[in-house]
Amino acid sequence: MENISLVLADLDGTLFHDNKTVSAYTKQVVSEVQKKGILFGIATSRARVNAERLLGGISPDVMITNGGALAVCRGKKVYSCEFSVEEVRLLIGAVFKIFGADAVFSVDNENSLYSNSKELMGDGFWTFTDFSDFCEPAMKLCIETLDRNKVAAVASVLKSGRVDFLPFSDIPWYKLSRKDALKEKAVEALCRHMGLSASKVAAFGDDFADIGMLRACGTGVAMQNAIPQVKAAADELCASNENDGVARWMAERLLGA
């Protein structure tokens, strides 16, 4: 498949095994693909601050992080989309009003991860806060809930159509972000910056946040473990994350192995 110039892979449920590690085989294939002159990147809902530290030696050429709110090409920021400090304060106020004082949620931006849940503190990435005096912009706000109507009510405190919200399929949380903080929007920005057609991008994913990206790229590949909606949006299907599906697809299609 000589027309592929860039490969983008989601992390959780895609490039990562279920234990959040990258196999030695995947690392080897990524390195060989890059040596061949094909760019490799990640596209994850994780914040940049922890995504980079979990790659285990992989050096991506491009990074889409924070759910599509941030895109970096070879260290240069080419796309950023975030809530202002004032918007974050409005959203936090709405979370407590609608979900109550015991609401569990998190906020991330380019540099940090914050939460009022001490259960998240163990992995070393998070800063604990009660959000009472939180004054930072945010690329993403996540709430522990399955109640879509309440999430919609939180989103409605900002101007109509300004907030995008999606559930995660594997955990009982919802993600809220700016309307344009999407992986597909970050792909568009990266392609403009690199002078690259999206038709030459192959993207891999497994969850709701990946659907737009798979549709926007020339080759959208769903993992075997992906939710049905992702499989329906994809052009192709590869092996599961536990079976190194991204690496096996690249080895066969890009390296002829």
Side-chain angles (χ1 to χ4, degrees):
M1 188 166 286
E2 64 282 351
N3 64 323
I4 298 298
S5 299
L6 169 64
V7 174
L8 288 172
D10 175 47
L11 293 182
D12 296 275
T14 302
L15 196 70
F16 286 168
H17 283 188
D18 290 343
N19 64 0
K20 312 305 179 188
T21 63
V22 183
S23 72
Y25 173 68
T26 292
K27 294 176 187 178
Q28 176 188 344
V29 172
V30 169
S31 177
E32 291 177 5
V33 164
Q34 288 175 309
K35 288 177 182 176
K36 191 175 178 180
I38 298 171
L39 302 177
F40 180 82
I42 63 168
T44 178
S45 287
R46 286 183 177 270
R48 182 182 182 181
V49 66
N50 68 350
E52 290 178 315
R53 290 166 60 185
L54 290 169
L55 287 173
I58 290 177
S59 298
D61 300 289
V62 303
M63 296 181 67
I64 295 172
T65 60
N66 303 80
L70 180 67
V72 176
C73 178
R74 295 190 172 109
K76 179 182 175 65
K77 187 192 304 184
V78 300
Y79 187 71
S80 180
C81 184
E82 62 185 10
F83 294 121
S84 68
V85 173
E86 180 182 357
E87 289 172 328
V88 173
R89 293 302 307 160
L90 287 171
L91 289 168
I92 289 173
V95 170
F96 283 125
K97 179 179 179 180
I98 294 166
F99 286 92
D102 295 330
V104 175
F105 62 103
S106 66
V107 168
D108 65 59
N109 52 37
E110 183 176 355
N111 301 308
S112 302
L113 290 155
Y114 302 94
S115 179
N116 62 353
S117 170
K118 291 185 177 179
E119 293 181 5
L120 295 175
M121 299 300 117
D123 65 7
F125 298 124
W126 296 84
T127 297
F128 179 80
T129 176
D130 64 5
F131 290 110
S132 60
D133 57 354
F134 190 80
C135 292
E136 292 193 29
M139 292 181 166
K140 183 169 91 261
L141 185 151
C142 296
I143 309 170
E144 185 178 29
T145 184
L146 291 175
D147 193 326
R148 187 182 188 281
N149 290 333
K150 286 187 176 181
V151 174
V154 171
S156 70
V157 302
L158 301 188
K159 290 182 180 179
S160 177
R162 182 165 290 187
V163 182
D164 178 76
F165 56 92
L166 285 172
F168 294 94
S169 68
D170 56 339
I171 54 174
W173 286 71
Y174 262 83
K175 172 184 77 75
L176 294 89
S177 59
R178 290 291 296 267
K179 198 70 173 180
D180 287 338
L182 302 170
K183 292 183 181 183
E184 55 267 34
K185 292 293 185 180
V187 170
E188 291 175 8
L190 280 169
C191 287
R192 285 194 301 270
H193 175 75
M194 296 186 292
L196 178 69
S197 169
S199 65
K200 294 189 175 183
V201 181
F204 295 77
D206 71 301
D207 210 345
F208 291 108
D210 302 314
I211 291 173
M213 176 176 69
L214 266 58
R215 287 175 172 161
C217 294
T219 306
V221 187
M223 310 303 294
Q224 181 62 51
N225 53 286
I227 60 174
Q229 295 92 325
V230 173
K231 292 179 179 178
D235 302 301
E236 302 181 21
L237 192 67
C238 71
S240 71
N241 65 315
E242 283 290 277
N243 289 308
D244 296 322
V246 175
R248 294 184 184 280
W249 188 96
M250 291 193 297
E252 177 182 347
R253 304 293 287 277
L254 303 180
L255 301 177

